[in-house]
């Protein structure tokens, strides 16, 4: 038996194409889920009661159900709502939806734990609660948020492999196709592990750079 | 009392408890327009809580606070003669009439000195960015920090930070400024620079309520001094009288204690 080097050589460029899709989907989901999560997190700290309840339910749902099920719900649910987006966008939305829930919790935790004197000082110059959240507390929380946020984004990249179940030709799905054609599961899964590891390492490195760049006070 | 002036702030029956501990037991006093009104008393006597109730950092349990003719924290419904709590926006509008200077400065660490002062006029008063920055620069100049506009709080000394905090309050054009032990967190050699700024404000006629342990400041600058102990007003009067011939035993005890430190 031994290792099938020929198949590995053949698979590397094919998997690179899948990796590009993984990167595309992950970046889009990071942006949509990140912005959505910040908004949801701020709403959960606001004085808007209905909004807080909504976020509470949203986060509970995201945390309380498997991502795989969420992916299927979005994939099969969108057509029910009359939206035919195709598997790429359905997958992107499912991941964004999931990511936003986790980011919202990070935002709630960090923004909510800024020292109380900051809120009092802002109130004493007449700022409303919404202005305090956006102009005073959120900017101070960005840097302390980064480690927890990086965790969520790393998870997001790895979770994108689940999109293979709705036939998004991302990294894992591309690997599965090669395995089906040549039956070299060990070699391909090992390659997939390396690909994911490299992507996640790059992301972790980038987050450290950003963290170092952001001023600490 | 500042001669010929009218009451700016009237407090009647102000009470506040935290849990089952009553911190303020029906406090009443009046502050005249342009007056420097100094609150002294042993720690735990409720001085800070008075200030925090005035601009609603704490919600009083009972009592009436009036700024000019306007009740603070509620409005009277004319038809039914009942009180109606103010909306958050209306409360915020009221809050900015009271400047507040905190013991620990509470500057915004992510903003420069200039932006710390400009953020209120810009975001709250609706001045354009340029106008707000101009006003901020003027106010920082007034507290003699014209050379430090671009520095962040972490690059400033405690005395400088507290002066930025005073400029931040001034930039909102408040009707009065509340000082909560403004020099207590400072190194001794930095105390005077903050007190000098406060003296200058008093001389300009800014109405100020000052909680302090700086007895020489109280003696020299205050128009009136109010002594508190255990959530009650012990006595009140011009500084010469309070320091010269205190009437209440608790005042005498407190003064002996702080003056012989």
């Amino acid at each position: 038996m031994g290792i099938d080097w020929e198949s590995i050589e053949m698979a590397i460029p094919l998997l690179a194409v899948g990796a590009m899709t993984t990167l595309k989907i992950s970046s889009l989901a990071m942006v949509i889920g990140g912005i959505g999560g910040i908004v949801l997190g701020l709403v959960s700290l606001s004085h808007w009661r209905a909004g807080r309840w909504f976020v509470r339910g949203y986060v509970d749902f995201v945390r309380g159900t498997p991502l795989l099920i969420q992916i299927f719900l979005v994939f099969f649910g969108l057509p029910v709502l009359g939206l035919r987006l195709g598997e790429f966008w359905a997958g992107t939305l499912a991941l964004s939806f999931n990511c936003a829930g986790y980011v919202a919790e990070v935002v709630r935790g960090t923004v909510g734990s800024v020292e109380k004197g900051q809120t009092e000082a802002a109130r004493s110059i007449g700022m409303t609660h919404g202005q305090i959240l956006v102009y005073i507390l959120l900017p101070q929380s960005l840097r302390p948020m980064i480690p927890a946020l990086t965790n969520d984004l790393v998870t997001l990249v790895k979770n994108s492999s689940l999109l293979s179940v709705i036939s998004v030709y991302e990294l894992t799905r591309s690997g599965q196709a090669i395995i089906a054609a040549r039956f070299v599961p060990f070699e391909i899964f090992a390659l997939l592990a390396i690909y994911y590891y490299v992507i996640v390492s790059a992301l972790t490195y980038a987050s450290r750079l950003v963290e170092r760049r952001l001023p600490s006070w | 009392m500042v001669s010929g002036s009218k009451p700016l702030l009237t407090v009647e029956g102000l009470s506040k408890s935290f849990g089952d501990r009553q911190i303020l037991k029906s406090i009443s006093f009046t502050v005249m327009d342009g007056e420097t009104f100094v609150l002294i008393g042993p720690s735990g006597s409720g001085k800070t809580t008075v200030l925090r109730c005035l601009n609603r950092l704490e919600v009083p349990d009972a009592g009436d606070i009036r700024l000019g003719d306007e009740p603070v924290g509620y409005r009277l419904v004319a038809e039914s003669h009942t009180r109606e709590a103010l909306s958050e926006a209306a409360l915020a509008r009221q809050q900015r009439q009271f400047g507040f200077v905190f013991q620990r400065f509470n500057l915004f660490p992510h903003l420069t000195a200039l932006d710390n002062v400009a953020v209120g006029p810009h975001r709250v008063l609706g001045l354009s960015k340029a106008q707000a920055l101009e006003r901020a620069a003027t106010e920082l100049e007034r507290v003699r920090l014209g050379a430090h506009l671009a520095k962040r709080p972490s690059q400033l000394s405690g005395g400088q930070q507290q002066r930025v905090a005073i400029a931040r309050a001034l930039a909102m054009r408040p009707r009065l400024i509340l000082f909560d032990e403004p020099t207590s967190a400072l190194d001794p050699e930095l105390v005077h620079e903050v007190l000098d700024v406060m003296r200058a404000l008093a001389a300009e006629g800014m109405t100020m309520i000052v909680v302090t342990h700086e007895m020489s400041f109280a003696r020299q600058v205050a128009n009136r001094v109010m002594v508190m102990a255990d959530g009650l007003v012990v006595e009140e009067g011009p500084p010469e009288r309070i320091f010269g011939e205190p009437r209440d035993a608790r005042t005498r005890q407190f003064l002996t204690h702080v003056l012989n430190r």
Side-chain angles (χ1 to χ4, degrees):
Chain A
M1 284 287 285
I3 288 179
D4 183 350
W5 292 104
E6 198 192 321
S7 292
I8 290 180
E9 221 173 286
M10 187 243 15
I12 288 174
L14 289 178
L15 289 182
V17 177
M20 285 311 294
T21 306
T22 291
L23 282 175
K24 248 189 257 171
I25 289 194
S26 303
S27 328
L28 280 167
M30 276 179 204
V31 173
I32 302 172
I35 293 173
I38 289 176
V39 172
L40 289 174
L42 292 181
V43 167
S44 75
L45 291 167
S46 75
H47 288 168
W48 178 32
R49 187 185 301 238
R52 287 204 309 267
W53 279 100
F54 170 77
V55 177
R56 186 80 265 144
Y58 183 100
V59 170
D60 270 355
F61 178 79
V62 165
R63 280 201 300 211
T65 54
L67 174 57
L68 189 62
I69 307 294
Q70 293 167 19
I71 291 169
F72 282 132
L73 281 176
V74 172
F75 184 63
F76 294 113
L78 287 176
V80 172
L81 298 173
L83 285 167
R84 301 202 174 275
L85 294 179
E87 62 273 6
F88 178 88
W89 282 105
T92 305
L93 283 185
L95 285 184
S96 307
F97 173 85
N98 179 271
C99 176
Y102 288 98
V103 171
E105 280 297 276
V106 170
V107 170
R108 189 172 68 87
T110 38
V111 174
S113 62
V114 174
E115 191 236 333
K116 192 167 123 259
Q118 291 292 308
T119 302
E120 294 189 344
R123 278 179 60 187
S124 75
I125 55 171
M127 283 193 168
T128 59
H129 189 66
Q131 287 176 318
I132 296 172
L133 284 174
V134 173
Y135 299 121
I136 304 299
L137 302 183
L138 181 63
Q140 294 185 48
S141 312
L142 289 180
R143 185 180 159 121
M145 220 180 263
I146 287 200
L149 222 45
T150 305
N151 265 335
D152 288 345
L153 298 184
V154 164
T155 306
L156 170 93
V157 170
K158 295 193 285 187
N159 281 344
S160 70
S161 68
L162 286 173
L163 296 181
S164 56
V165 298
I166 54 168
S167 298
V168 178
Y169 269 82
E170 42 66 68
L171 197 45
T172 302
R173 181 72 180 153
S174 312
Q176 287 168 343
I178 299 171
I179 293 169
R182 304 189 60 131
F183 200 69
V184 280
F186 175 70
E187 286 83 345
I188 298 304
F189 279 121
L191 270 182
L192 287 178
I194 293 171
Y195 265 101
Y196 279 110
Y197 181 78
V198 170
I199 294 174
V200 166
S201 299
L203 181 61
T204 312
Y205 178 74
S207 104
R208 286 214 190 101
L209 274 190
V210 173
E211 192 179 356
R212 227 174 298 150
R213 279 284 181 91
L214 284 176
S216 64
W217 298 289
Chain B
M1 226 170 263
V2 178
S3 55
S5 67
K6 52 186 191 331
L8 177 63
L9 182 81
T10 318
V11 177
E12 266 169 58
L14 182 65
S15 296
K16 176 72 185 172
S17 299
F18 293 112
D20 49 14
R21 228 186 119 216
Q22 199 176 7
I23 304 295
L24 298 181
K25 301 165 184 165
S26 195
I27 300 272
S28 302
F29 62 93
T30 303
V31 178
M32 311 305 272
D33 202 4
E35 188 176 38
T36 299
F37 188 83
V38 171
L39 281 176
I40 62 171
S43 62
S45 57
K47 310 179 296 287
T48 292
T49 308
V50 170
L51 292 194
R52 292 173 62 85
C53 285
L54 290 182
N55 79 333
R56 290 261 152 178
L57 289 175
E58 306 290 352
V59 181
D61 298 335
D64 250 341
I65 302 170
R66 290 178 163 274
L67 184 62
D69 300 326
E70 190 188 354
V72 173
Y74 66 91
R75 66 182 197 90
L76 278 178
V77 183
E79 309 85 60
S80 56
H81 296 287
T82 51
R83 292 178 174 197
E84 188 183 82
L86 291 180
S87 69
E88 191 191 334
L91 208 55
R93 261 197 300 282
Q94 222 166 38
Q95 229 156 19
R96 69 182 196 231
Q97 317 251 344
F98 295 86
F100 202 104
V101 175
F102 296 84
Q103 184 176 356
R104 304 204 158 270
F105 333 132
N106 294 0
L107 293 182
F108 306 129
H110 60 301
L111 300 179
T112 61
L114 190 64
D115 286 332
N116 258 282
V117 182
V119 67
H122 180 44
R123 299 292 179 193
V124 177
L125 301 181
L127 267 62
S128 73
K129 185 84 189 174
Q131 286 172 318
L133 290 174
E134 195 185 312
R135 181 184 285 193
T138 310
E139 294 302 344
L140 284 165
E141 201 68 57
R142 188 167 165 193
V143 297
R144 294 194 285 282
L145 284 172
H148 302 282
L149 303 183
K151 291 193 179 157
R152 288 188 200 280
S154 59
Q155 298 168 298
L156 297 171
S157 74
Q160 290 169 331
Q161 289 188 53
Q162 194 58 298
R163 284 185 284 148
V164 174
I166 294 172
R168 177 173 67 182
L170 286 170
M172 299 302 291
R173 304 280 189 265
R175 297 186 58 189
L176 75 170
I177 302 186
L178 314 173
F179 290 85
D180 183 15
E181 301 196 27
T183 58
S184 297
L186 296 178
D187 290 337
E189 75 270 22
L190 301 178
V191 167
H192 72 92
E193 59 186 69
V194 171
L195 293 183
D196 285 349
V197 166
M198 292 168 63
R199 272 195 192 93
L201 287 178
E204 287 169 31
M206 171 58 79
T207 311
M208 308 197 287
I209 304 181
V210 185
V211 169
T212 187
H213 291 292
E214 291 294 327
M215 292 304 140
S216 57
F217 176 84
R219 203 190 276 251
Q220 293 161 14
V221 184
N223 299 105
R224 271 185 309 146
V225 175
M226 184 166 97
V227 187
M228 286 182 65
D230 296 324
L232 294 165
V233 177
V234 171
E235 61 182 309
E236 186 214 288
E240 310 82 57
R241 221 239 336 113
I242 297 287
F243 290 102
E245 358 159 359
R247 286 172 194 158
D248 194 284
R250 283 170 294 184
T251 310
R252 281 196 292 273
Q253 191 190 358
F254 171 70
L255 289 177
T256 317
H257 186 73
V258 290
L259 295 175
N260 297 335
R261 243 188 330 200

